[in-house]
Amino acid sequence: MQHSDMTAKIAEGNGFIAALDQSGGSTPKALKGYGIEESAYSGDDEMFALIHQMRSRIITSPVFTGDKVLGAILFEKTMDGQVDGKATPTALLDRGVVPFIKIDKGLEDEANGVQLMKPMPELSALLTRAKGLGVFGTKERSVINLANREGIAAVVKQQFEVGKEVLAHGLMPIIEPEVNIKSPERAEADQILLEEILKELDALPAGQQVMLKLSIPAKAGLFDALVDHPKVLRVVALSGGFARPEACAELAKNRGMIASFSRALLNDLRHQMSDDEFNVSLGGAIDEIFEASTDKVAA
């Protein structure tokens, strides 16, 4: 796929984006969910080798294709690895799946009800390498715990600053200011976030676009203005800790939002499964998430 083909697929395609980007801190939990205990490996190299095997198994599954999976977000080590003897982004593109890369380095401690992203001193080099490997876009995550306007404005400002650097490297940024779905001020935080994102979008130069990855809003349809905004290529939703049935039910109430799920996609997969069992389980999850992304219902 050429860059223009990838842009069109993400903008107009029916399907969702798989999040396969668990990083160092979340990898042990992801492996445990997959049925591999920490006692089964020693050190980071063995840990990352096992998570790469899991991701390779997903990517090469016959049910993981561009028919329903529009894109996949990769961890840096996954991007730099190989699947089926090919660079991982190439393996995805050969299956009709558009590759993205997670670029943030984790979160700062909470202040003003939010967690900003840690510094990314090697970002330019990472973006250059990703572009050379055929990656289409990036994703960076912050977290909003409370409806603190000062904090939320700082999160959105930082996100768009990073997004502009991504755009300057010829890549598409997925801006992800996640609202904690367990927040006691979730609905209020959603509203402030909407207002702050609209300010930043309006300030973007004409012709530039970003993507947004947002928690499913407490009020269905709240983000319609973002779905329709000419400077937004696509709005995708994270599962945020919802189990898959609930995440899908809530997503289906939001016009124009498609899934970008991680745990809700992978939760039923186990290392011990036969290939047939694995493919049936993954295929069922893909079908359920695809339906919630494409077949919308009244709120």
Side-chain angles (χ1 to χ4, degrees), residues 62-233:
V63 300
F64 193 88
T65 71
D67 292 339
K68 294 182 178 178
V69 182
L70 301 178
I73 304 169
L74 305 173
F75 176 50
E76 182 178 349
K77 285 182 177 291
T78 310
M79 177 189 77
D80 290 333
Q82 292 199 331
V83 172
D84 255 3
K86 307 168 187 173
T88 307
T90 301
L92 285 170
L93 288 166
D94 286 350
R95 300 183 72 79
V97 178
V98 175
F100 293 80
I101 172 73
K102 166 188 156 69
I103 58 172
D104 69 81
K105 300 301 181 186
L107 300 170
E108 300 278 17
D109 292 338
E110 182 175 330
N112 290 329
V114 304
Q115 289 177 273
L116 295 169
M117 295 180 288
K118 289 181 177 178
M120 305 174 214
E122 299 173 0
L123 178 58
S124 180
L126 174 58
L127 295 174
T128 299
R129 194 166 82 250
K131 179 75 171 175
L133 287 167
V135 169
F136 173 72
T138 65
K139 189 213 78 164
E140 65 265 10
R141 172 177 172 264
S142 313
V143 172
I144 297 165
N145 293 312
L146 296 172
N148 180 308
R149 185 173 292 274
E150 182 181 352
I152 294 173
V155 160
V156 175
K157 182 175 185 292
Q158 184 191 44
Q159 283 277 349
F160 273 81
E161 285 174 350
V162 173
K164 289 169 187 173
E165 185 170 354
V166 172
L167 286 167
H169 280 77
L171 296 165
M172 171 59 61
I174 300 178
I175 287 168
E176 184 185 8
E178 173 183 348
V179 173
N180 184 343
I181 63 167
K182 296 179 181 177
S183 169
E185 302 173 355
R186 179 181 164 207
E188 297 90 339
D190 287 343
Q191 181 62 43
I192 296 170
L193 177 62
L194 170 64
E195 295 164 6
E196 294 299 325
I197 289 175
L198 286 170
K199 289 178 190 175
E200 289 288 344
L201 288 172
D202 290 343
L204 273 181
Q208 286 193 347
Q209 288 184 307
V210 300
M211 293 175 64
L212 300 170
K213 181 168 179 174
L214 306 173
S215 302
I216 301 168
K219 179 184 177 183
L222 180 69
F223 295 144
D224 284 358
L226 301 176
V227 170
D228 296 333
H229 201 288
K231 294 178 183 175
V232 176
L233 184 71

Side-chain angles (χ1 to χ4, degrees), residues 34 57 61-62 268-283:
Y34 186 49
R57 194 177 187 190
S61 170
D268 295 336
L269 302 179
R270 298 293 180 271
H271 171 69
Q272 297 84 355
M273 286 176 166
S274 69
D275 286 345
D276 285 345
E277 290 170 334
F278 184 91
N279 294 333
V280 167
S281 181
L282 179 60

Side-chain angles (χ1 to χ4, degrees), residues 14-20 64 67-71 216 234 236-239 242-252 257-269 281-296:
N14 285 325
F16 68 94
I17 294 174
L20 308 177
F64 193 88
D67 292 339
K68 294 182 178 178
V69 182
L70 301 178
I216 301 168
R234 201 84 192 245
V236 304
L238 57 107
S239 53
F242 283 131
R244 185 168 65 246
E246 189 175 5
C248 288
E250 293 301 310
L251 177 61
M257 289 184 76
I258 65 171
S260 177
F261 293 172
S262 176
R263 279 171 291 179
L265 171 64
L266 310 176
N267 203 46
D268 295 336
L269 302 179
S281 181
L282 179 60
I286 287 172
D287 288 346
E288 189 175 352
I289 297 168
F290 175 84
E291 183 175 358
S293 296
T294 59
D295 188 9
K296 300 300 182 178

